[in-house]
Amino acid sequence: MNAPTPTVRDAIRLRRSATRLTGPAPTDADVVSLLAAAANGPDHGLLRPWRFILVRGDRRADLGRAHAGGLPPGAARDREVGKPLRAPLLISIVFAPRVNPKVPEWEQLAATSAVVHNLGLLLHSAGWGSIWRTGPASRCPRVAAALGLRPGERSLGWLYVGTVERVPPPRSGPDLRDRVSTLSAPGAATPLAPAAVLS
Ligand SMILES: Cc1cc2nc3c(=O)[nH]c(=O)nc-3n(C[C@H](O)[C@H](O)[C@H](O)COP(=O)(O)O)c2cc1C
């Protein structure tokens, strides 16, 4: 398990995607409790354009089978069927954009991403591991049907969740020198002083 991380800064700094996950996984009640907090993300118009579907046990293989439906029996098909089994819990991320004159779809996607990342951080802080996975299965109409997606909804993939087998080391942050500047005159941004970027 991850060591619990008490502060937001530590959780953000130390969180890593966990590619190898085993049981146990958080219960439905655990997930709902974390989501109640994660849902408090920035959301223009408070449209809450998302929902989540928890997938466990044999239902995971159903998703793999749905995606592999077009493949002949063999190794490639087995690989697809096995992919959703890489974690004991899959949290399907469903994007449900609304038509709104003030909030374009990209803003609703941004709000949904914020909730998903909040949830990943909260899972990490609670000692669970997760990784956001997409791939062709997330765009497969047969998988969408297996999930029972409604017209207008779109799968954004899954948070694979479980117990971390091997905790990846913290990642050092990106070089911010070319990514942060100050607008010093109209149309002209100048780099920050090195001390400001490094501190
Ligand atoms: C929208 C989205 C989709 C992702 N899809 C995949 C994926 O399909 N497979 C995968 O291995 N990782 C996926 N990732 C995780 C990234 O690979 C991972 O965040 C990146 O390698 C950085 O590693 P870190 O999260 O440990 O810092 C996805 C991340 C995001 C935000």
Side-chain angles (χ1 to χ4, degrees), residues 1-2 16-24 124 127-130 161-168:
M1 286 251 315
N2 291 328
R16 292 293 316 276
S17 295
T19 50
R20 295 174 66 87
L21 293 161
T22 58
H124 173 90
W128 302 108
S130 73
V161 182
T163 300
V164 182
E165 276 186 354
R166 186 174 46 82
V167 180

Side-chain angles (χ1 to χ4, degrees), residues 174-193:
D175 186 343
L176 297 179
R177 275 173 295 190
D178 295 331
R179 289 188 160 80
V180 188
S181 54
T182 300
L183 193 63
S184 47
T190 48
L192 299 185

